[in-house]
Amino acid sequence: MTDRLTAKTTSVCQPSAILIALLAGWLLCGILTAAGAFNLDRDSKDFYSRTDARVDVIHRANWFYFPYPGQFGKINFSISAFVGFFVATIVSILDSIGDYYACAATCRVPPPPAQGVNRGIAIEGLCTALSGAIGCGHGTTTYGGNIGAIGLTRVGSRYVFITVAVIYIIFGVIGKVSAVFITIPYPVLGGVLIVMFGVFNGVVLSNLKSVDLSSTRNLAIIGTSLLVGLMIPHWIETYDNVINTGNKEADDVLTMILGNPNLAGGVLACFLDNTIPGSKEERGIAAWEAPSDISGGSPTSQDYSEGYEVYNPILYNKYRNSKILRFLPFMPNPSLKENEKPRSLSHDFGRRRSLTGPAVLTSTR
């Protein structure tokens, strides 16, 4: 009983601790600003530690703002821009899939099945297309900081993220409100992001626990991919015009591709992992393998606090017997058998936590 009470108390205190730390840091910067501790020169490194460094944003912001098509200029088509965004989309998809698995590990639920991953990517694509159509000027993808926030706050409810989404919409429409948060001093914002992304990076690295790290094969692939992912983008950034094919658009495309660390290292890692012989156990695939589609609700391991029912869409039980579902790759396939293992184990997140599929983690970049 004491352990459960302690876990519950910690679970409740952590979200407020982040908010208190944010407000305390903001207040401290305000006191130091009033005391004249920060430089007034905009070129100074500590200028943006001032609470009034960007207060002009609040004055210039409109009370209400709505996006519209063509707000950033005349609509046209560019091959180099299209290829660049296409590459960015592919990288974003790969990044999102990794985020889905990281989120599942953070929330102690089974790895996402195929239908869950497909639905998440479909939602991201739909929202990105809608964003471009109405002139928002950004894509929709997962955000690692959100996973770090889940790890810190121990809150993974779909309803929490729906509420946050509504708040973000309100902030986006009411310009004055969103402008207030733009004035957060850089040190305060950076401190919060360091913690959140630190937790996220830890969760991502924890996925390697299923990989045989005593294998020379795996160590060579991991080390080489990390090194190439750091060196090539640095080389592209350091030296100007290192790629010269005689075609400017081709140069721009290659520069964008090779300058992306995720793509440079990720593609090499994928290539090496799938070409160098290795067993599933050695590669860590066996531990993450799950049925291609599970519509039932039992966990497959006592390590999980909930089962595959967390990936079922809203109101799924009302149409789960529909035959058309087997033709939709983003919906559970009712023709496959459900797991019948008994449900056991409660966790800090709570039995009644209702974590949805990957789409709840979507954010904007």
Side-chain angles (χ1 to χ4, degrees):
M1 178 66 72
T2 304
D3 294 339
R4 291 185 180 181
L5 181 60
T6 302
K8 184 179 291 185
T9 303
T10 305
S11 176
V12 172
C13 290
Q14 284 177 335
S16 59
I18 296 177
L19 180 60
I20 291 174
L22 177 64
L23 295 177
W26 203 342
L27 177 61
L28 178 60
C29 286
I31 295 174
L32 295 176
T33 299
F38 298 131
N39 202 314
L40 289 171
D41 184 9
R42 285 187 173 272
D43 296 327
S44 176
K45 293 182 179 179
D46 62 353
F47 174 76
Y48 287 101
S49 299
R50 301 179 60 91
T51 53
D52 59 355
R54 292 175 292 173
V55 72
D56 59 305
V57 176
I58 301 177
H59 299 296
R60 290 187 286 105
N62 297 324
W63 275 105
F64 297 97
Y65 176 81
F66 298 94
Y68 57 90
Q71 62 175 321
F72 297 109
K74 183 180 178 181
I75 299 176
N76 54 22
F77 180 80
S78 170
I79 296 179
S80 60
F82 173 79
V83 174
F85 279 110
F86 179 76
V87 172
T89 300
I90 299 300
V91 174
S92 176
I93 291 175
L94 298 176
D95 184 44
S96 295
I97 294 175
D99 287 346
Y100 298 161
Y101 279 84
C103 181
T106 303
C107 297
R108 301 302 293 269
V109 298
Q115 54 90 4
V117 173
N118 292 341
R119 189 164 58 253
I121 298 300
I123 290 296
E124 291 186 21
L126 177 63
C127 292
T128 299
L130 180 62
S131 172
I134 64 176
C136 289
H138 58 71
T140 300
T141 184
T142 56
Y143 183 59
N146 291 342
I147 302 175
I150 292 175
L152 289 173
T153 62
R154 317 300 292 179
V155 175
S157 171
R158 71 169 70 180
Y159 301 108
V160 171
F161 282 89
I162 291 175
T163 303
V164 171
V166 173
I167 294 175
Y168 278 1
I169 292 173
I170 294 175
F171 284 177
V173 173
I174 305 178
K176 294 289 186 183
V177 176
S178 59
V180 171
F181 290 91
I182 296 177
T183 63
I184 297 177
Y186 282 179
V188 179
L189 186 61
V192 173
L193 291 179
I194 285 175
V195 175
M196 290 186 176
F197 276 100
V199 173
F200 170 68
N201 290 335
V203 172
V204 172
L205 291 176
S206 70
N207 290 328
L208 295 177
K209 66 183 179 182
S210 58
V211 177
D212 184 5
L213 294 180
S214 63
S215 169
T216 304
R217 169 194 181 277
N218 292 341
L219 295 179
I221 292 175
I222 294 173
T224 304
S225 301
L226 287 175
L227 187 62
V228 170
L230 293 173
M231 290 179 58
I232 292 184
H234 178 72
W235 173 64
I236 293 293
E237 182 179 355
T238 303
Y239 300 99
D240 295 331
N241 302 322
V242 292
I243 298 178
N244 186 7
T245 63
N247 187 312
K248 187 177 183 307
E249 289 188 348
D251 294 344
D252 292 340
V253 170
L254 292 175
T255 300
M256 182 174 296
I257 292 175
L258 296 177
N260 190 304
N262 292 332
L263 191 65
V267 168
L268 178 62
C270 181
F271 174 77
L272 294 177
D273 188 49
N274 287 278
T275 53
I276 300 178
S279 65
K280 288 188 175 182
E281 290 74 15
E282 185 181 14
R283 299 170 63 190
I285 297 178
W288 285 95
E289 276 186 336
S292 60
D293 196 355
I294 298 292
S295 57
S298 300
T300 58
S301 169
Q302 289 188 351
D303 292 335
Y304 302 140
S305 60
E306 293 191 52
Y308 281 94
E309 78 279 357
V310 297
Y311 296 105
N312 288 341
I314 298 176
L315 303 177
Y316 170 69
N317 289 333
K318 292 186 177 180
Y319 51 82
R320 64 182 301 168
N321 295 323
S322 176
K323 294 182 179 180
I324 195 175
L325 294 185
R326 69 184 64 183
F327 303 105
L328 301 178
F330 53 86
M331 296 294 287
N333 192 335
S335 64
L336 298 181
K337 299 293 184 181
E338 302 178 359
N339 286 339
E340 298 297 337
K341 295 184 179 181
R343 182 187 183 87
S344 62
L345 177 65
S346 60
H347 191 265
D348 292 355
F349 287 93
R351 288 175 181 268
R352 283 180 272 184
R353 190 191 74 249
S354 182
L355 176 66
T356 189
V360 299
L361 291 174
T362 53
S363 178
T364 55
R365 286 180 182 172

